[in-house]
Amino acid sequence: MQNVPDFSELLAGAQHTAVHLEMRDSYGIAGEAADFETFRRTGVHPDLAPESEGWSGWVSSVRGALARGVVVRRARIVSEPVTDYIRYEHAGTVVNLAAGEQVRWLPRRQASDIALPGNDFWLFDGRIVRFNHFTGDGASGGPEMCEDPAVAKLCASAFEAVWERGIDHEKYTV
């Protein structure tokens, strides 16, 4: 198994950009299962406080990157009508924005002619790719790191194409 640095280490090492492309309509991340179930029952995201224990590490990492001049962007390709999980993510995105991330959404039908890698990824400074693998039910399948210039170029091209077509979070309704 490949030894992959923690995400926080990679973000801390970024000097210019950190971009994230998400392409699944549902994730089964154990750490957010209770919050997601609450959201499904109530329609209200239970944790929208950037300084809460659940978000503080993430928010601190992103703000630290921004303070160093790193631009942090996230794009999500989603099927429509959206799943309950995407509604949950959309509601929680206010925290990503509060941390300083820029976020856009792209309906999947508008991505058909974009060459996309097979997995979600983070791309740091256009050269280090951290793929996020998931199991069929959306649980984490573990990360993989790649520094192959051709792979980084594919990921950068895919992200920029999605970003260009994407809808700013504030204008995308679910």
Side-chain angles (χ1 to χ4, degrees):
M1 183 111 189
Q2 184 186 35
N3 185 17
V4 178
D6 286 336
F7 169 81
S8 58
E9 292 175 51
L10 291 169
L11 184 58
Q15 297 176 10
H16 306 287
T17 60
V19 300
H20 185 37
L21 183 60
E22 297 178 24
M23 300 181 282
R24 295 181 58 96
D25 288 319
S26 177
Y27 294 85
I29 306 303
E32 62 186 29
D35 283 353
F36 178 50
E37 186 52 39
T38 298
F39 179 82
R40 286 183 62 175
R41 273 194 335 274
T42 66
V44 176
H45 197 295
D47 185 6
L48 297 177
E51 307 310 324
S52 73
E53 183 179 334
W55 284 106
S56 63
W58 175 258
V59 169
S60 176
S61 291
V62 171
R63 287 180 178 163
L66 293 169
R68 293 190 322 275
V70 176
V71 175
V72 182
R73 297 182 294 159
R74 177 186 305 255
R76 294 176 171 139
I77 299 173
V78 296
S79 299
E80 293 178 322
V82 300
T83 62
D84 286 345
Y85 187 87
I86 294 300
R87 278 191 277 286
Y88 166 76
E89 267 195 332
H90 189 271
T93 298
V94 297
V95 177
N96 299 86
L97 298 173
E101 281 189 65
Q102 300 170 42
V103 180
R104 291 188 181 174
W105 302 80
L106 182 65
R108 192 171 308 282
R109 288 184 175 271
Q110 295 176 25
S112 296
D113 62 344
I114 300 173
L116 299 167
N119 296 287
D120 290 9
F121 64 86
W122 276 94
L123 175 64
F124 301 93
D125 293 330
R127 61 180 185 79
I128 300 172
V129 182
R130 184 180 196 268
F131 287 109
N132 298 321
H133 296 287
F134 294 94
T135 63
D137 62 2
S140 176
E144 175 186 358
M145 196 165 116
C146 178
E147 294 184 69
D148 180 323
V151 173
K153 183 177 178 180
L154 167 66
C155 290
S157 175
F159 182 86
E160 293 305 330
V162 170
W163 188 259
E164 183 178 308
R165 294 180 190 182
I167 302 163
D168 284 333
H169 175 75
E170 295 83 4
K171 296 179 182 174
Y172 185 73
T173 56
V174 296

